[in-house]
């Protein structure tokens, strides 16, 4: 039995195109992961009759609908009112919701604006969903065939609240999720991975898919709910070994094997109590920003280019070849800071190349450890933000490779 | 007369969440710019009956609909078939479309796969829309109330073809675009802005709206096409002065007045050839990362806390009060680096407070200039990423305030 879900996004900013609706994709993925079949996404603006009409439509054709947006304190936030109309329920003050909103402001030592009181009104018989990170609580209720869940449109709040929603949905619906395993990789593109997997033969009922984000490429294997675990493990291992050491984590296989690049590095650094010093150029602070709160990052220096980098470490570098230059700086940095590792990032290419989408720069990473010196080199393309992000991640990846003992 | 448009995206990858649907936002913005009122976005997967049903729905309620996706050569590309069913028109081979597809392959010296022949079949009476960059031509036709335009889902092809579509729409519809003005602010929440505007009386035909992002809050004024410019300016000025000096830019009024916080600062710093030195703690490199490629940022130091900050500048700070501490560091930094401005960011609160969503930290910013020393202080809540981002922006904002001569 397929359980049909829809996604509904409310907001003039979505419908007018000012905001790209990333909530819809995020929610679809997460609903699909737990076994829903997603049939439709719809976005409408802040218009009461449009909202009411849409809720009534969905109430007749879906089993579950997650709605985002329109829960704010302002006059154009109309979701609760529209739901009340569609469900023929009056809006009732939820005393606990009001208390939570008041506490939010008290905590920040600011008076609660009177407008926020509105956020504590829900249609009668609705289930309140607490918001641990913002002022707007959510709510859920059944209208005809469909269980509606209303969440704020701010992605961080929506995501924080989805943890609770997920548990409620698992309890409410009889879902048989496929098993999804994601092989997470960095430093290799989607089409290169596809080429690696040319000779891979998967059972007919296993689906292969790909998803590229700004940070990584995920190779996804979707197995039926009753697929034997041993055979699943074999499929995953075969796929991982074909992609090779660009795979830094596998989600959905065993606990502790998954996570993003920083989570993987954090676990390895913390377990061994290692300390790291970094000199970044191309990523201009973004590497440090990604490591916010990580104790193992002892020191970060930021320099505009290799010359400024040498000045910061007060070393004379005669070698104009960047690999040798990076190695000299890494040795000096490790010695000055007395850390387990020193990571130096340099690049060749002008600021103009950096800013232009049609130009590339070459990134040089050097990791100095007590066991030796390791180098990696990458050509980076794309806009300035893409280059900056790739530089930060690929510098961190040389550390991940060392810590995971993969071939450097 | 409002001309109502909708956006319709077809594809399993959109509805399953593998792809974030950026086409819908792009098309909405462009349709709105020429005067359409966008009422809805809908996405459905590759299912013939879902597609046909949706086209029939839209045919009854919109004047125009732009559809993307489903025009490819594979079996799951069903748009033309669904349109044929909804419009009760047979699919007919368009000889010129076939010639174009054949020419595309000829040009690349590859044989045309037989599957691509399908892309030259359109519902009878449809208008062909040539594709200058790919294989799939588009088409347009009237079904009941609605003029439907079908374009490929590949963003680069869709965008290249929209130039033609735009001209056709301008000729077909009598459009009068509204004027949108956005007041962009930082350091003030959406509901606080609403309180500031409590006494604002706008003409009945002017719409007020708000949009909060992680970086800023935008207060939006939407004026009818024929709204007198002098009156428009007066409305905007009145709104801006009620919100006060948290407004850093106004989009849609005059050229050069708009842009995000960094664009505003960049223009002001570059115009006067100023140089800045920064010491960041709470934002851990994110301030520097946001300024990637900005020449006016001469030096960035990153420190974990105020103690490390003092060590980095090799100063003895006896004062435990952070405002005084920050001032001492800013003076030292300015002197050491010999820049026009030195900006020092400190914060109180532990790393645990920083990481916890339910705890706050207090941010201290100090800007040292030749004209004096300026302080600002903010309480930051939310998760670690939110605190980090707010810290970076609010530190930059003290510089913006100085440069714009707003009261500090």
């Amino acid at each position: 039995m397929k359980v049909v879900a829809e996604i509904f996004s409310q907001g003039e900013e979505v419908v007018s195109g000012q905001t790209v609706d990333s909530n819809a994709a995020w929610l679809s993925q997460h609903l699909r992961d737990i076994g829903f079949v997603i049939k439709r996404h719809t976005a409408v603006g802040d218009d009461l009759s449009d909202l009411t009409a849409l809720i009534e439509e969905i109430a007749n054709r879906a089993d579950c609908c997650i709605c985002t947006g329109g829960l704010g304190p302002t006059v154009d936030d109309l979701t609760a009112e529209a739901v009340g109309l569609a469900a023929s329920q009056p809006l009732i003050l939820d005393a606990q919701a009001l208390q939570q909103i008041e506490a939010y402001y008290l905590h920040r030592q600011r008076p609660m604006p009177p407008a926020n009181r509105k956020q504590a009104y829900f249609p009668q018989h609705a289930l309140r969903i607490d918001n641990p990170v913002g002022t707007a609580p959510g709510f859920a209720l059944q209208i005809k065939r469909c269980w509606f869940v209303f969440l704020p449109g701010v992605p961080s709040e929506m995501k924080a609240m989805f943890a609770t929603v997920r548990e409620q949905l698992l309890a409410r619906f009889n879902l048989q999720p496929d098993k999804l395993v994601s092989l997470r990789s960095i430093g290799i593109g989607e089409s290169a991975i596809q080429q690696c997997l040319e000779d891979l033969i998967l059972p007919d009922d296993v689906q292969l898919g790909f998803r590229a984000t700004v940070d990584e490429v995920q190779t996804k294997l979707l197995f039926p709910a009753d697929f034997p675990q041993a055979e699943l493990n074999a499929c995953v291992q075969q796929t991982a070994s074909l992609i090779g050491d660009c795979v830094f984590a596998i989600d959905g296989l065993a606990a502790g094997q998954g996570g993003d690049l920083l989570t993987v590095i954090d676990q390895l650094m913390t377990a061994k109590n290692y300390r790291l010093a970094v000199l970044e150029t191309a990523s201009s602070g973004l590497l440090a920003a990604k490591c916010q709160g990580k104790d193992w990052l002892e020191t970060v220096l930021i320099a505009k280019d290799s010359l400024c980098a040498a000045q910061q470490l007060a070393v004379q570098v005669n070698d104009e070849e960047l690999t040798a230059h990076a190695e000299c700086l890494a040795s000096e940095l490790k010695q000055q800071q007395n850390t387990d590792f020193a990571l130096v990032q340099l690049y060749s290419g002008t600021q103009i190349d950096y800013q232009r989408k049609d130009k590339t720069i070459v990134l040089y990473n050097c990791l100095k450890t007590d066991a030796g010196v390791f180098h990696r080199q990458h050509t980076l393309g794309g806009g300035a933000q893409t280059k900056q992000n790739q530089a930060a991640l690929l510098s961190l990846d040389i550390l991940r490779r060392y810590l995971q003992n993969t071939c450097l």
Side-chain angles (χ1 to χ4, degrees), chain A:
Chain A
M1 249 292 288
K2 287 193 186 301
V3 187
V4 172
E6 293 200 18
I7 310 292
F8 156 22
S9 311
Q10 195 227 307
E12 218 47 55
E13 70 283 5
V14 173
V15 119
S16 68
Q18 287 194 284
T19 298
V20 173
D21 185 10
S22 60
N23 283 347
W26 192 92
L27 283 167
S28 286
Q29 281 186 359
H30 285 76
L31 290 180
R32 188 184 143 143
D33 284 353
I34 57 174
F36 284 98
V37 174
I38 322 299
K39 280 284 202 178
R40 241 192 224 215
H41 296 180
T42 313
V44 292
D46 306 319
D47 179 288
L48 193 60
S49 62
D50 288 350
L51 285 166
T52 312
L54 179 59
I55 294 166
E56 286 169 353
E57 280 173 34
I58 296 173
N60 286 316
R61 69 179 179 223
D63 301 303
C64 177
C65 177
I66 314 284
C67 314
T68 57
L71 299 182
T74 58
V75 286
D76 53 4
D77 289 305
L78 298 166
T79 300
E81 200 178 335
V83 177
L85 285 172
S88 308
Q89 295 288 349
L91 298 186
I92 306 277
L93 178 73
D94 182 313
Q96 213 166 330
L98 183 61
Q99 214 173 16
Q100 288 171 3
I101 300 169
E102 285 170 342
Y104 177 91
Y105 281 96
L106 196 67
H107 186 68
R108 280 160 183 75
Q109 301 178 336
R110 288 186 305 199
M112 183 186 98
N116 287 76
R117 196 177 159 84
K118 175 186 158 194
Q119 295 181 296
Y121 280 82
F122 304 134
Q124 200 163 24
H125 308 306
L127 173 71
R128 186 187 64 250
I129 301 168
D130 296 335
N131 182 343
V133 290
T135 63
F139 60 94
L141 84 171
Q142 186 81 27
I143 308 178
K144 297 187 185 160
R145 170 178 164 189
C146 184
W147 177 249
F148 281 90
V149 180
F150 296 91
L151 300 176
V154 179
S156 57
E157 298 184 20
M158 179 278 285
K159 289 175 189 173
M161 291 165 76
F162 188 76
T164 309
V165 171
R166 188 177 179 279
E167 294 310 310
Q168 292 170 352
L169 296 177
L170 288 171
R172 176 170 284 269
F173 292 96
N174 181 21
L175 300 164
Q176 287 198 306
D178 295 337
K179 292 181 201 163
L180 176 70
V181 176
S182 298
L183 294 88
R184 308 176 70 160
S185 58
I186 182 168
I188 184 169
E190 194 176 324
S191 47
I193 292 180
Q194 263 177 318
Q195 251 184 301
C196 294
L197 301 182
E198 234 169 32
D199 298 328
L200 177 69
I201 296 163
L202 291 169
D204 283 347
D205 51 355
V206 179
Q207 279 176 52
L208 176 67
F210 301 94
R211 185 172 162 238
T213 73
V214 290
D215 288 351
E216 58 185 75
V217 177
Q218 296 178 8
T219 304
K220 292 169 168 288
L221 293 168
L222 195 65
F223 299 89
D226 57 356
F227 198 85
Q229 189 65 39
E231 213 180 312
L232 182 151
N233 291 345
C235 278
V236 172
Q237 288 317 325
Q238 196 197 349
T239 310
S241 68
L242 286 170
I243 304 176
D245 55 17
C246 290
V247 175
F248 62 82
I250 300 178
D251 281 359
L253 201 58
Q257 284 198 35
D260 62 14
L261 183 65
L262 207 71
T263 304
V264 169
I265 292 174
D266 189 36
Q267 281 168 357
L268 295 164
M269 291 293 284
T270 306
K272 296 276 180 82
N273 203 20
Y274 285 137
R275 289 288 178 271
L276 171 70
V278 168
L279 188 155
E280 52 177 316
T281 55
S283 52
S284 334
L286 191 60
L287 192 162
K290 284 180 189 285
C291 298
Q292 193 287 319
K294 306 300 181 208
D295 278 342
W296 42 262
L297 182 57
E298 187 105 351
T299 312
V300 180
L301 305 178
I302 301 180
K304 285 190 183 177
D305 52 36
S306 51
L307 200 71
C308 296
Q311 282 169 357
Q312 282 222 24
L313 288 169
V315 287
Q316 285 270 336
V317 181
N318 300 316
D319 204 324
E320 289 193 358
E321 201 273 303
L322 285 181
T323 306
H325 191 152
E327 181 163 339
C328 169
L329 294 176
S331 298
E332 183 65 28
L333 180 62
K334 185 169 183 315
Q335 206 184 341
Q336 283 184 18
Q337 298 295 329
N338 196 25
T339 46
D340 301 287
F341 311 125
L343 177 55
V344 168
Q345 174 200 71
L346 300 179
Y347 72 102
S348 67
T350 63
Q351 254 311 317
I352 295 163
D353 293 339
Y354 196 114
Q355 300 301 326
R356 280 182 59 171
K357 275 189 186 163
D358 58 341
K359 297 279 181 186
T360 58
I361 60 169
V362 180
L363 187 74
Y364 296 83
N365 284 303
C366 177
L367 180 71
K368 170 81 177 166
T369 75
D370 291 328
V373 191
F374 305 94
H375 291 277
R376 282 180 70 82
Q377 193 176 320
H378 296 89
T379 301
L380 306 185
Q385 277 198 336
T386 305
K387 288 186 181 111
Q388 184 178 18
N389 190 52
Q390 283 295 306
L393 292 170
L394 289 168
S395 295
L396 285 167
D397 192 51
I398 194 174
L399 180 64
R400 186 274 303 178
R401 284 169 173 266
Y402 178 79
L403 295 166
Q404 284 185 343
N405 282 313
T406 66
C407 147
L408 274 156

